[in-house]
Amino acid sequence: MPKLTIRVATLLAALSLLMISAPSASADSPAEMISKFRLGHGEVRVTSDSTLNRIAAEQARAMAAKDNLSHEALGSFTSRIAPSRAGRAAENIAYGYDNFEKTLGQWINSSEHRKNLLLRNATRIGIASAKDASGKRTYWAMEIAGDYEPPPSKGKKGEKVLVAAKGKPASAKPSSSKCHINLLGLCL
């Protein structure tokens, strides 16, 4: 084997060992960090949600633009969270830390924020940060939600969806209808 090939192979092996043994900075995503906290306290895992991430980003940007830590910076929480279609939701906000790990620690050490982190039946989360105009202050917003309502029916436009009540089958025809043969939805 030529000397150059041996040197390259040795160098690659050494680099591989360095990468394996090097301590990694918190490689977990914010959703994973929160999930670990929740799992340690008897709650279920949360996953990142694009709608909640958008809501969090809009809130963080609004607070940064106004340089004001406020749940109302962009309007009421109820109106802002409505597009998520969640049955339960909460919001944590903060400013000061440049990284999420420290912000999460701040929330964990605050009883009200901790309650939100441990929101019962929460399954989705959105997290975002934004810097103020000076670039010196970082604002954070976290939206956490659960108890999602089922998506609307995919029926044809104008078609009514029938639901059976207390064990009675749903029927599209009134009970007075005399349908002798039902073929592909046609009553003959």
Side-chain angles (χ1 to χ4, degrees), residues 115-138:
K115 253 190 256 182
N116 289 344
L117 289 168
L118 296 173
L119 182 69
R120 194 172 63 77
N121 295 333
T123 55
R124 300 180 194 174
I125 199 151
I127 300 156
S129 65
K131 293 211 178 263
D132 70 352
S134 73
K136 294 180 181 175
R137 182 176 284 173
T138 304

Side-chain angles (χ1 to χ4, degrees), residues 26-46 104 108 117-118:
S26 181
D28 289 339
S29 69
E32 187 59 32
M33 293 166 76
I34 291 170
S35 287
K36 284 180 180 178
F37 175 73
R38 288 174 57 79
L39 290 169
H41 291 85
E43 287 297 333
V44 298
R45 176 176 302 282
V46 289
L104 178 58
I108 288 170
L117 289 168
L118 296 173

Side-chain angles (χ1 to χ4, degrees), residues 139-172:
Y139 286 86
W140 291 90
M142 177 205 77
E143 317 302 326
I144 187 167
D147 292 347
Y148 283 86
E149 60 185 67
S153 171
K154 299 285 183 188
K156 294 177 184 168
K157 192 173 183 177
E159 181 180 284
K160 290 184 180 177
V161 178
L162 300 171
V163 179
K166 292 205 175 186
K168 295 178 184 175
S171 170

